[in-house]
Amino acid sequence: MTLTTARSAVDSDPDSALVLAYDAARQALTALLAHQGLRPTTKGGHYAVERAARAQFGPGFRQFGALRRRRNELEYPERPSDDATQDEAAEAVDNAEAIITASQGILDQLGLF
């Protein structure tokens, strides 16, 4: 659902589309961790999700780090004109979709950590 909303906002609100794409990817990775009995803490937060996913599942989840960093730039801008473009938002949605698809592909193979 979050990814569908992100895709629908690419043209009208690229910033929101990118943030939603990131959220969709983060939720998928957090679900993988939760399936193993793990959960990120507020101390490690989203970066902990990135590190755990890359350490366990390999470079196929590398794009999550770029999504996380770009989301942070949009949420906490250093420059007022640092907005996402439609092309950037569309790419973020595609990357999030790939992460979600990869997550679904390995979910059934995971046991408790």
Side-chain angles (χ1 to χ4, degrees):
M1 181 65 81
T2 303
L3 189 63
T4 301
T5 304
R7 191 175 305 286
S8 72
V10 166
D11 292 330
S12 62
D13 189 356
D15 283 4
S16 293
L18 193 144
V19 170
L20 286 169
Y22 164 76
D23 283 341
R26 179 183 49 79
Q27 291 165 0
L29 295 181
T30 300
L32 289 178
L33 298 176
H35 189 76
Q36 295 177 308
L38 304 170
R39 71 176 186 87
T41 64
T42 55
K43 183 177 181 179
H46 299 193
Y47 184 59
V49 172
E50 176 188 348
R51 298 277 309 216
R54 287 184 66 186
Q56 287 190 69
F57 312 123
F61 295 91
R62 183 182 79 246
Q63 289 297 9
F64 181 73
L67 285 172
R68 183 186 62 77
R69 287 186 298 278
R70 187 60 176 125
R71 175 262 184 194
N72 287 348
E73 291 171 357
L74 293 171
E75 292 288 310
Y76 312 105
E78 292 182 18
R79 296 171 298 281
S81 63
D82 194 16
D83 297 326
T85 65
Q86 291 173 340
D87 288 342
E88 181 182 23
E91 182 179 354
V93 169
D94 290 344
N95 287 337
E97 184 174 29
I99 289 168
I100 291 166
T101 299
S103 296
Q104 292 169 334
I106 62 174
L107 186 61
D108 291 338
Q109 301 169 25
L110 296 177
L112 287 175
F113 191 72

